Amino acid sequence: MKIDKKEVLKALENITVPGEGKNMVDSGAVKNIQIFGDEVEVDITIGNPSLQARKKTEVEILKIIHQKVYEKAKIKVNIKVEAAAAKPKVNEIKGKPIPGIQNIIAVASGKGGVGKSTVTANLAVTLAKMGFKVGLLDADIYGPSMPIMFDVANEKPLAITVDGKSKMKPVENYGVKLLSIGFFTQPNQAVIWRGPMASKALNQMIFDAHWGELDFMLLDLPPGTGDIHLSIMQAMPVTGAVVVSTPQEVALADAKKGVAMFQQDSINVPVLGIVENMAYFTPEELPNNKYYIFGKEGAKHLAEDLNVPFLGEIPLVQSIREAGDIGRPAALQTATPIEKAFEELTKNVVQELVARNKSLPPTEAIKITTMAGCSAVKKK
Ligand SMILES: Nc1ncnc2c1ncn2[C@@H]1O[C@H](COP(=O)(O)OP(=O)(O)OP(=O)(O)O)[C@@H](O)[C@H]1O
Ligand SMILES: [Mg+2]
């Protein structure tokens, strides 16, 4: 008799863990199932520490496998008790994932001008260099900077027909597909956006665009932590957030608010970690000299205090600024310390994302409904 693991899982769906509303498979209590011939070993974790609850669960598992899978199966049940507080906070936001797009990473800061867009652009080209399919959505409704940073300010997304529907084709450069709110506004024109308008425009750039298959979609957010962010974050299923800060006190205070914004109940997006940008100044001709002009390791310490991962540090280097202005992200300069710093950062982001995807269910968007100029958030 060959026992099928899937059948065991299906059988376990009939059991509800004490103290949990869901069955033990859906609640994530079943950690591992191993089959050796007619032996089944089940590892589960439950939140209820009482011996009685453990015994009851064990008996139920034995019973259901004998009943539904194989009456002569030899079963071993390993039960681990997990303190309720130690459980990862499961994302409760439910909605629909975007077809074809695996991961959406939002880059935010709190304070303006700390280098969000620079970090986002360089993350994007580094991911593309690593062989990932990458899209970048410039959601900075106050000052979109991606068209310049990717040297495509004079281009416009084309309309193409896909499956009989008209879609926007993202502009592409350096292996990164790009859409920016800047493609749709006049240069020098101040745009006043309200939250619902901004999320509508962003929704169109996601759902009415032909992105194709993407491993990563990076989202460059505007500075701050206001209502506009709430609207943007609620309009799309953001997998994780990266918070950029300089080591300076004022930037750190705002970065802290940025982290808190993602962690608040109505947003609840996992924070992948904090990046320290402009960590120190290095003159290009003296690469070993480091000047901590904004303070030392401030963002690193903040990450430790907030118990979120520290993703890496990027020095303040003139060529990073120049590269941004020319429209060719600095990480494209091969065999330089800058390329290396961005590679290090990108690897850490990917690593945190993989860990996040293992431990938490996908984030899913909440639907925003617009009512007479104000936005109401409705859970799907
Ligand atoms: N590591 C760096 N070294 C040198 N210059 C940098 C670095 N990071 C960013 N800059 C420069 O600092 C300025 C602000 O950066 P950037 O536009 O990326 O910040 P931002 O946080 O996106 O700003 P905003 O809040 O306005 O969107 C730009 O001129 C950019 O080229
Ligand atoms: Mg920016």
Side-chain angles (χ1 to χ4, degrees):
M1 166 78 193
K2 194 169 180 310
I3 297 176
D4 188 345
K5 201 165 161 178
K6 277 196 210 122
E7 272 185 57
V8 175
L9 258 180
K10 206 155 161 253
L12 295 178
E13 278 176 3
N14 293 293
I15 303 176
T16 309
V17 186
E20 294 251 22
K22 294 180 188 160
N23 76 60
M24 62 163 44
V25 178
D26 285 354
S27 72
V30 179
K31 297 296 178 210
N32 196 21
I33 296 174
Q34 286 190 73
I35 316 264
F36 316 91
D38 60 353
E39 288 178 39
V40 182
E41 190 167 340
V42 184
D43 295 347
I44 67 159
T45 302
I46 59 173
N48 188 331
S50 77
L51 191 62
Q52 197 198 359
R54 269 185 272 176
K55 210 64 221 160
K56 180 169 173 280
T57 308
E58 185 177 348
V59 169
E60 276 182 351
I61 292 174
L62 298 182
K63 236 163 83 182
I64 204 85
I65 295 177
H66 283 150
Q67 207 179 54
K68 304 248 177 198
V69 186
Y70 182 42
E71 55 178 327
K72 292 189 188 134
K74 297 190 188 96
I75 304 164
K76 187 167 178 228
V77 181
N78 306 314
I79 297 184
K80 217 172 106 193
V81 176
E82 182 180 47
K87 270 192 183 176
K89 196 174 171 198
V90 175
N91 200 320
E92 288 146 2
I93 299 173
K94 296 277 177 252
K96 60 171 177 177
I98 302 169
I101 300 180
Q102 299 296 330
N103 297 289
I104 303 182
I105 303 176
V107 184
S109 65
K111 190 177 180 317
V114 295
K116 272 178 307 302
S117 303
T118 304
V119 167
T120 313
N122 283 288
L123 266 176
V125 297
T126 307
L127 283 167
K129 273 200 295 185
M130 289 175 173
F132 292 111
K133 298 194 187 83
V134 187
L136 202 169
L137 182 57
D138 181 359
D140 191 344
I141 50 173
Y142 303 124
S145 38
M146 286 307 159
I148 288 179
M149 289 189 175
F150 276 78
D151 193 21
V152 290
N154 295 322
E155 295 192 30
K156 287 268 177 276
L158 300 173
I160 52 167
T161 307
V162 182
D163 299 332
K165 285 189 197 130
S166 177
K167 297 261 180 184
M168 249 184 288
K169 186 172 180 279
V171 169
E172 195 168 335
N173 204 4
Y174 313 125
V176 175
K177 290 180 182 170
L178 174 69
L179 278 180
S180 167
I181 215 139
F183 290 136
F184 309 102
T185 53
Q186 300 295 328
N188 310 323
Q189 177 197 354
V191 186
I192 316 274
W193 296 82
R194 283 176 301 122
M197 281 164 67
S199 36
K200 196 169 164 218
L202 289 167
N203 257 309
Q204 282 176 349
M205 288 199 286
I206 289 200
F207 294 103
D208 298 340
H210 183 61
W211 290 98
E213 297 285 323
L214 292 183
D215 298 306
F216 296 98
M217 154 91 82
L218 302 185
L219 196 59
D220 184 21
L221 291 178
T225 49
D227 280 356
I228 197 96
H229 293 81
L230 193 75
S231 303
I232 294 171
M233 303 305 295
Q234 286 167 338
M236 55 197 75
V238 176
T239 322
V242 168
V243 175
V244 181
S245 183
T246 63
Q248 203 183 354
E249 278 305 321
V250 281
L252 293 168
D254 287 356
K256 202 169 172 178
K257 283 188 211 151
V259 171
M261 168 179 80
F262 290 111
Q263 292 176 338
Q264 67 181 264
D265 281 347
S266 56
I267 292 189
N268 201 12
V269 165
V271 174
L272 301 176
I274 297 181
V275 182
E276 182 153 310
N277 187 33
M278 311 192 194
Y280 50 85
F281 167 70
T282 302
E284 227 115 336
E285 60 283 9
L286 294 168
N288 293 325
N289 287 25
K290 296 180 178 178
Y291 302 92
Y292 294 88
I293 47 185
F294 292 125
K296 197 174 176 190
E297 297 183 343
K300 193 173 183 185
H301 294 146
L302 179 67
E304 284 162 12
D305 288 351
L306 298 179
N307 202 15
V308 298
F310 180 65
L311 297 169
E313 53 181 29
I314 304 296
L316 174 68
V317 187
Q318 188 171 331
S319 62
I320 294 184
R321 197 272 304 151
E322 286 168 353
D325 289 349
I326 296 168
R328 192 170 192 281
L332 292 169
Q333 296 162 14
T334 46
T336 58
I338 299 168
E339 181 193 40
K340 217 158 160 247
F342 280 113
E343 270 174 7
E344 192 70 32
L345 167 67
T346 309
K347 275 186 204 149
N348 289 337
V349 170
V350 173
Q351 196 180 319
E352 289 307 325
L353 194 80
V354 170
R356 174 251 176 266
N357 286 346
K358 269 195 197 148
S359 66
L360 292 172
T363 312
E364 296 169 25
I366 299 181
K367 195 173 181 185
I368 307 266
T369 49
T370 310
M371 298 185 312
C374 66
S375 69
V377 176
K378 191 175 86 179
K379 277 199 180 176
K380 266 195 197 156

